Amino acid sequence: MGLSAAKRLSGCVKGAQLLCISTGSVCTCSPTRPFHWPLFSALARPNFIHTYGYCAYASAHLCSSVIWELRPVCVFLLLTTICTPQYCSTKCIIYPSLFILLPLVSMFLNTLTPKFYVALTGTSSLISGLILIFEWWYFRKYGTSFIEQVSVSHLRPLLGGVDSSSPSNSNTSSGDTESSRQSVSECKVWRNPLNLFRGAEYNRYTWVTGREPLTYYDMNLSAQDHQTFFTCDTDHLRPADAIMQKAWRERNPQARISAAHEALELEDCATAYILLAEEEATTIVEAEKLFKQALKAGESCYRRSQQLQHHGSQYEAQHRRDTNVLVYIKRRLAMCSRKLGRTREAVKMMRDLMKEFPLLSMFNIHENLLESLLELQNYADVQAVLAKYDDISLPKSATICYTAALLKARAVSDKFSPEAASRRGLSTAEMNAVEAIHRAVEFNPHVPKYLLEMKSLILPPEHILKRGDSEAIAYAFFHLQHWKRVEGALNLLHCTWEGTFRMIPYPLEKGHLFYPYPICTETADRELLPTVFHEVSVYPKKELPFFILFTAGLCSFTAMLALLTHQFPELMGVFAKAVRGTLASICWSSLQKYIVP
């Protein structure tokens, strides 16, 4: 043995003796004898461990049985000693202290019973199960993981992550900017051109089923539309219009109806008749009578304001308001005629309205006209309307795209057979029909499930989101009967609509015939549609977040361990000791090299 080794061994023995003597004096304490803090604290001083650092391993084994009785105090002092800046300066000081702590941990684990492991794994399984349930509920309601959302929004900035909305990302290409603008514009909520009557249809549904078909967000948007279309800055000069201006802001339906009656007591007010026709009338016949009265009052106001529209900005705003009121009344009268079976009369009223006010495209009257022409099976006039409005410069809709696909499918659907088409290939007409269906499905992929009755329909909302589930419901609610009337059209749709997705490699980044599918549709549709009894259709389908899969695996694993430990306590105890011994050997082997000079 060399001289240096002999010195190390002598220091090790000396340190062991000091530690045993010190701890022996500590062990003599009792409830009646105070604890010897100065003597035990001397063990944790930097000078002591620095002088006898290499003897810590031997000291721990010599006095482990003594220290075990005072393990909370030992662990506390050793941990506070290790964490001091002076100890963190060199490895030879930190790791000997760990050699005193590790035997204590090992001895503590050796005393654990199988009941402890059952309680530990059972509690872990319960907690992970609760987290899994909450994550699944949050994902189904909001479409994202709560843990992931918190990590991205709160932890990522703390860890130095870059926020996607930071100015550093402002240097993007013009193409990306234009694409984002298009996506934002397409997430705009539009007024449903075929919206139902609130009193005669929506409220009757509520009376029968007890369900509320309209969401608060949807009705709030309707209130904003009414204030935009039916009010102006000069309403306070006319008592009836002043009352109606307040009525459109009321949230309580009965308060709005009472205000409308109050306004009619003063004079014939067109907007008051509109409100009563929309919300108080319980049948379409009653609504039509009220709209006819509103038409008389609206036409007289329109003629007066038309003569004065050039006398100032106030008169011009009043004339604009009167124009909106008149167009709205005539359109709703045409819809009443359509619902009461007078379809030809409705078509004539819509054509006259479009000729009289060609610039008011915000009401989308051409979609009402298309639906009425399909009811009359006047496909030539439908094609003429599509030729005018299915233009690249005009905004598209599900009504335009799917009606164009229906007309092309009508030419080949009665003789179409998937088996024959696979043998001989598609003809030119069949290829045109399939391409039209693919174009329509790419614009709104939610519609086919409603047309094919793979998903149940609900009442359409008063507002829709283009390319979203709300638009699909509104289209299928009125046009399903037209697809059923064309023989073989639904069969052709069933055989070809899923082929659209093979043409779009990644819908969120790349489109085919249209710009990429916007990612904001799900959030808006959840606000527009009653999610209490309707499952919102989502495209593209979102994969389950990682944290849901992780918590599901953790819950299953810990539950299995708890069950095995409860059924086979001895076997699982041996397994736990084996795992603990393996981990301890790994720790010893990784730490021993730091105590050898």
Side-chain angles (χ1 to χ4, degrees), residues 572-590:
M572 293 303 294
V574 174
F575 175 74
K577 290 182 180 179
V579 172
R580 189 169 60 245
T582 304
L583 295 177
S585 62
I586 295 174
C587 293
W588 288 122
S589 60
S590 62

Side-chain angles (χ1 to χ4, degrees), residues 260-267:
H261 284 291
E262 183 181 352
L264 289 176
E265 292 176 359
L266 300 177
E267 60 176 336

Side-chain angles (χ1 to χ4, degrees), residues 74-302:
C74 297
V75 171
F76 171 75
L77 290 177
L78 288 173
L79 286 178
T80 55
T81 303
I82 292 171
C83 295
T84 56
Q86 186 175 358
Y87 281 14
C88 294
S89 59
T90 57
K91 295 179 181 178
C92 66
I93 296 175
I94 297 175
Y95 289 99
S97 302
L98 291 177
F99 276 107
I100 299 176
L101 181 61
L102 288 177
L104 302 179
V105 176
S106 178
M107 294 177 64
F108 172 72
L109 294 177
N110 286 330
T111 61
L112 298 179
T113 62
K115 292 182 178 180
F116 172 81
Y117 291 107
V118 172
L120 177 64
T121 53
T123 305
S124 302
S125 177
L126 176 63
I127 294 175
S128 57
L130 293 177
I131 296 174
L132 174 63
I133 294 172
F134 175 76
E135 277 283 301
W136 178 256
W137 170 82
Y138 195 87
F139 175 74
R140 292 296 299 270
K141 185 173 181 63
Y142 300 104
T144 185
S145 169
F146 175 77
I147 301 177
E148 182 179 353
Q149 186 179 12
V150 171
S151 302
V152 172
S153 59
H154 298 286
L155 299 182
R156 187 178 179 184
L158 297 177
L159 297 176
V162 180
D163 191 2
S164 59
S165 60
S166 61
S168 60
N169 296 332
S170 59
N171 297 326
T172 56
S173 61
S174 60
D176 294 339
T177 304
E178 184 64 25
S179 177
S180 63
R181 287 177 181 174
Q182 289 177 342
S183 298
V184 171
S185 64
E186 282 304 312
C187 287
K188 173 186 175 183
V189 176
W190 298 72
R191 181 81 177 178
N192 183 7
L194 296 171
N195 65 309
L196 304 178
F197 292 87
R198 189 174 293 186
E201 292 172 308
Y202 287 121
N203 287 347
R204 290 179 65 184
Y205 176 82
T206 304
W207 298 336
V208 173
T209 63
R211 295 175 174 178
E212 194 65 46
L214 298 176
T215 63
Y216 174 78
Y217 177 70
D218 192 14
M219 291 188 289
N220 187 45
L221 290 176
S222 298
Q224 296 177 14
D225 292 341
H226 295 154
Q227 294 176 44
T228 302
F229 294 150
F230 304 148
T231 63
C232 64
D233 296 336
T234 61
D235 285 345
H236 65 279
L237 301 176
R238 296 175 298 276
D241 290 335
I243 293 175
M244 290 307 302
Q245 191 177 36
K246 296 180 181 179
W248 294 120
R249 297 193 181 100
E250 287 286 345
R251 292 186 178 181
N252 188 1
Q254 293 300 325
R256 290 196 297 270
I257 294 174
S258 300
H261 284 291
E262 183 181 352
L264 289 176
E265 292 176 359
L266 300 177
E267 60 176 336
D268 280 347
C269 181
T271 55
Y273 284 120
I274 290 176
L275 192 147
L276 295 178
E278 291 285 351
E279 301 191 16
E280 188 182 38
T282 57
T283 63
I284 301 298
V285 175
E286 294 179 9
E288 186 181 30
K289 292 179 180 178
L290 290 170
F291 273 120
K292 288 181 177 179
Q293 292 177 292
L295 180 62
K296 295 180 181 179
E299 285 180 339
S300 61
C301 292
Y302 176 76

Side-chain angles (χ1 to χ4, degrees), residues 3-124:
L3 181 60
S4 60
K7 289 182 179 180
R8 288 196 302 271
L9 179 60
S10 176
C12 184
V13 173
K14 185 177 180 180
Q17 292 173 353
L18 288 175
L19 189 58
C20 288
I21 295 171
S22 302
T23 54
S25 64
V26 174
C27 273
T28 59
C29 67
S30 64
T32 60
R33 181 180 178 181
F35 181 71
H36 201 294
W37 281 102
L39 183 59
F40 190 82
S41 300
L43 300 176
R45 278 188 275 176
N47 294 334
F48 176 81
I49 294 184
H50 182 71
T51 305
Y52 303 104
Y54 297 112
C55 72
Y57 178 71
S59 303
H61 283 279
L62 289 174
C63 63
S64 58
S65 60
V66 178
I67 298 178
W68 176 250
E69 298 299 330
L70 298 171
R71 56 190 182 277
V73 180
C74 297
V75 171
F76 171 75
L77 290 177
L78 288 173
L79 286 178
T80 55
T81 303
I82 292 171
C83 295
T84 56
Q86 186 175 358
Y87 281 14
C88 294
S89 59
T90 57
K91 295 179 181 178
C92 66
I93 296 175
I94 297 175
Y95 289 99
S97 302
L98 291 177
F99 276 107
I100 299 176
L101 181 61
L102 288 177
L104 302 179
V105 176
S106 178
M107 294 177 64
F108 172 72
L109 294 177
N110 286 330
T111 61
L112 298 179
T113 62
K115 292 182 178 180
F116 172 81
Y117 291 107
V118 172
L120 177 64
T121 53
T123 305
S124 302

Side-chain angles (χ1 to χ4, degrees), residues 439-452:
R439 173 177 177 264
V441 173
E442 181 180 352
F443 182 82
N444 194 319
H446 310 283
V447 173
K449 288 187 177 181
Y450 294 107
L451 292 180
L452 298 173

